[in-house]
Amino acid sequence: MNPLLAKLQPYPFERLRKLFEGVTPNPAFKPISLGIGEPKHPTPQFIKDALTQGLGALSAYPATAGDLKLRTAFTDWLQRRYGVTLDPATQALPVNGTREALFSLTQTVVDGTRSPAPIVISPNPFYQIYEGSALLAGAETWYAPSDPTRNFAVDWDSVPADIWARTQLVFACSPGNPTGAVMPLDEWKKLFALSDRYGFVIASDECYSEIYFRDEPPLGGLEAAAKLGRADFKNLIAMTSLSKRSNVPGMRSGFVAGDVDVIKSFLLYRTYHGSAMSGAVGAASIAAWGDETHVIDNRALYRSKFATVTPLLEAVLDVRLPDAAFYLWAGLPDAWNGDQTGDDEGFARALYAQYNVTVLPGSYLARDSQGSNPGRGRIRMALVADTAECVEAASRIVQFVQKGR
């Protein structure tokens, strides 16, 4: 077996399952899960219709690069959304969701034969695929902490020069999971300057870009590059998907776009990896990327839900409306933060036992690094269910906290 597999840590939801082992939740309450970030809003009918109408494509192998009509749907959307122009023939590729793309792009970019071992930089807390893809590519991971005093902006300045010198790939997640923070232009400018100096690739994970709560939509990586005069998108790959935007997580449909040279190498890798998008999924994807009405409606549902739920939880937790995404990243009350460490595992386990509500301990989404775990003492709540269920979960959390530890 590949010895690098032994370096992988248990996935957060496996850790959560073990945390809840032996616990019988209070039967007086029906179960409500805020643990997994899986969209629950209905899939638009027109996307399902396009999928079934595209089933004729099942009689042929799909092209790894996708057909030009599909790639043009990607670049047309990027033009409308961000005002950027890319060549669909050379600067965009279909992927089977951002999770698959994050993993396979890392295998494309990282040269694991280097000595000392190459480094992949991840925000901390982070989406766990960043770490796993780096380890299986033969790299080491450096965790750059998010600063709660700066709206959870990643502290790129905390990374030493000798780490940057070995860095081959940097993951940027904006809007962030789990914090919901959006990277402003000055942060992108800093990261681009570091990329120019040290030569690393930036993977910009933007799968939450269409769920936001401010008037201005979140800045994207390609958009930031264009604003800063980087029209060639050197060493930048942006990736997004339809899962959250269009409520189709089961389609596993997304795309990557950016630097033509990186895209060329990525296509070569994918040709052997065997990860072509089904023609039926491609047909449904073209329909989805071409429509914004359902996206506006979906965003309105989240805005209404967060406007109702957030004030309830603000009364008992350190939490506020995020910039974007569908998570609340909440600090625990004082009773659960003794001895300078937050007992997010104990909070989640007790809440599940007493009120049958599932939340994810923040420490499961981060790593101990530079003397601390920035997720400890926090919980992540995914407000993906309907408003009534989320309000009920929030009400139970309020009761749980007010009752005291």
Side-chain angles (χ1 to χ4, degrees):
M1 293 294 173
N2 184 344
L4 296 176
L5 289 169
K7 295 186 176 184
L8 297 179
Q9 299 203 33
Y11 213 64
F13 304 113
E14 173 62 17
R15 296 178 67 183
L16 189 65
R17 185 188 67 80
K18 290 185 177 180
L19 178 67
F20 289 170
E21 278 184 356
V23 176
T24 300
N26 188 340
F29 298 99
K30 72 172 186 177
I32 300 178
S33 177
L34 307 181
I36 299 179
E38 180 181 45
K40 297 295 185 183
H41 295 171
T43 299
Q45 185 62 44
F46 81 92
I47 298 178
K48 293 190 283 187
D49 291 341
L51 181 67
T52 57
Q53 291 164 12
L55 290 177
L58 296 180
S59 62
Y61 285 117
T64 302
D67 63 35
L68 188 59
K69 184 178 180 182
L70 176 62
R71 284 175 282 151
T72 300
F74 303 152
T75 56
D76 284 352
W77 180 79
L78 288 170
Q79 175 64 50
R80 293 192 302 271
R81 172 64 170 83
Y82 297 113
V84 298
T85 301
L86 293 96
D87 182 355
T90 61
Q91 290 184 287
L93 287 174
V95 295
N96 297 320
T98 50
R99 179 173 180 169
E100 180 266 319
L102 288 161
F103 182 86
S104 54
L105 179 67
T106 307
Q107 313 316 304
T108 301
V109 169
V110 171
D111 178 3
T113 67
R114 294 284 184 90
S115 182
I119 285 175
V120 171
I121 294 180
S122 168
N124 197 20
F126 62 97
Y127 181 42
Q128 304 295 289
I129 297 302
Y130 303 163
E131 178 186 70
S133 65
L135 292 173
L136 289 176
E140 296 176 359
T141 309
W142 177 272
Y143 304 98
S146 298
D147 184 355
T149 67
R150 296 191 301 122
N151 189 33
F152 300 103
V154 178
D155 186 5
W156 305 114
D157 293 331
S158 70
V159 182
D162 63 321
I163 296 297
W164 285 121
R166 292 168 52 196
T167 297
Q168 295 185 6
L169 178 65
V170 170
F171 287 114
C173 186
S174 179
N177 174 9
T179 68
V182 172
M183 278 180 60
L185 187 62
D186 61 341
E187 292 291 318
W188 280 110
K189 184 177 182 180
K190 179 181 295 185
L191 198 54
F192 290 145
L194 288 164
S195 175
D196 288 343
R197 181 175 180 182
Y198 295 103
F200 57 77
V201 171
I202 301 168
S204 180
D205 180 357
E206 303 176 9
C207 65
Y208 296 97
S209 68
E210 304 314 288
I211 301 171
Y212 54 88
F213 306 100
R214 317 300 181 193
D215 292 334
E216 184 178 358
L219 178 70
L222 297 171
E223 180 184 19
K227 288 179 178 290
L228 294 169
R230 304 173 64 88
D232 60 353
F233 308 114
K234 181 182 177 182
N235 280 336
L236 173 64
I237 296 293
M239 54 188 68
T240 190
S241 83
L242 291 170
S243 296
K244 283 81 174 175
R245 174 188 182 270
S246 300
N247 297 307
V248 287
M251 269 192 10
R252 311 306 299 147
S253 174
F255 70 84
V256 300
D259 184 321
V260 64
D261 292 327
V262 179
I263 290 289
K264 182 178 180 180
S265 295
F266 194 34
L267 176 58
L268 174 63
Y269 176 90
R270 298 180 68 75
T271 301
Y272 283 85
H273 186 56
S275 52
M277 179 183 290
S278 159
V281 171
S285 301
I286 291 171
W289 288 115
D291 180 80
E292 288 299 320
T293 300
H294 76 286
V295 182
I296 295 169
D297 293 343
N298 187 49
R299 185 161 53 242
L301 287 175
Y302 280 112
R303 285 182 165 183
S304 175
K305 187 188 311 184
F306 273 72
T308 303
V309 172
T310 306
L312 298 176
L313 293 172
E314 283 178 332
V316 296
L317 299 174
D318 176 18
V319 66
R320 59 196 57 83
L321 189 71
D323 292 337
F326 51 45
Y327 302 113
L328 287 176
W329 183 235
L332 300 183
D334 291 342
W336 295 88
N337 279 309
D339 300 325
Q340 308 301 314
T341 60
D343 186 10
D344 47 292
E345 283 188 310
F347 184 95
R349 183 180 169 93
L351 175 65
Y352 176 67
Q354 297 175 33
Y355 287 92
N356 214 349
V357 174
T358 299
V359 297
L360 194 63
S363 58
Y364 289 7
L365 297 167
R367 291 287 179 260
D368 293 325
S369 180
Q370 303 176 66
S372 67
N373 182 316
R376 188 169 290 117
R378 292 187 173 272
I379 55 171
R380 191 191 76 176
M381 295 170 283
L383 301 191
V384 291
D386 62 41
T387 299
E389 193 168 57
C390 289
V391 168
E392 171 62 22
S395 298
R396 293 185 202 173
I397 293 171
V398 171
Q399 293 175 50
F400 172 70
V401 173
Q402 289 178 339
K403 188 175 71 170
R405 186 169 186 177

